[in-house]
Amino acid sequence: MKISVELTLTPLHDDYEPAIIHFIKKLRASNLKVLENPLSTQVYGDYDEVMKTLTFEIKEAFDLIERGLLHMKIVKSDRHDYEPHF
């Protein structure tokens, strides 16, 4: 089963950029399709592979920050090639 996941990592302390950059670089190094924009990161792929990767990388990201939030949306389909028709 293919899924699309939108992630927004928000450390709740000063000097937050290194943790976010590390998290995104780790996702880029995975075998998953990763797209980024200024507000979020999208990850696409097979459910089991995406969730296994995210479980590991989210835990590592949380270990690197004092306090933080992670907003995650999951869609059951691969939407990496979505283009609006309006």
Side-chain angles (χ1 to χ4, degrees):
M1 162 188 357
K2 298 292 184 184
I3 63 171
S4 302
V5 181
E6 180 181 59
L7 303 159
T8 303
L9 176 62
T10 310
L12 299 175
H13 56 80
D14 293 335
D15 195 30
Y16 56 86
E17 285 184 349
I20 294 172
I21 291 168
H22 179 79
F23 182 63
I24 292 171
K25 284 184 175 181
K26 293 293 296 264
L27 292 176
R28 285 179 185 165
S30 72
N31 291 328
L32 304 172
K33 172 87 173 158
V34 178
L35 299 176
E36 304 151 28
N37 66 52
L39 299 176
S40 66
T41 301
Q42 294 84 41
V43 180
Y44 306 91
D46 180 70
Y47 179 90
D48 292 330
E49 186 177 355
V50 170
M51 296 309 288
K52 180 180 175 182
T53 300
L54 290 179
T55 298
F56 181 83
E57 298 305 340
I58 290 168
K59 184 176 189 304
E60 183 175 295
F62 279 175
D63 285 340
L64 295 174
I65 60 177
E66 273 181 59
R67 294 174 305 281
L69 306 171
L70 179 81
H71 295 268
M72 180 167 56
K73 298 177 192 173
I74 303 173
V75 177
K76 184 185 171 189
S77 68
D78 185 335
R79 307 284 292 172
H80 82 273
D81 58 356
Y82 171 78
E83 291 184 27
H85 301 287
F86 53 86

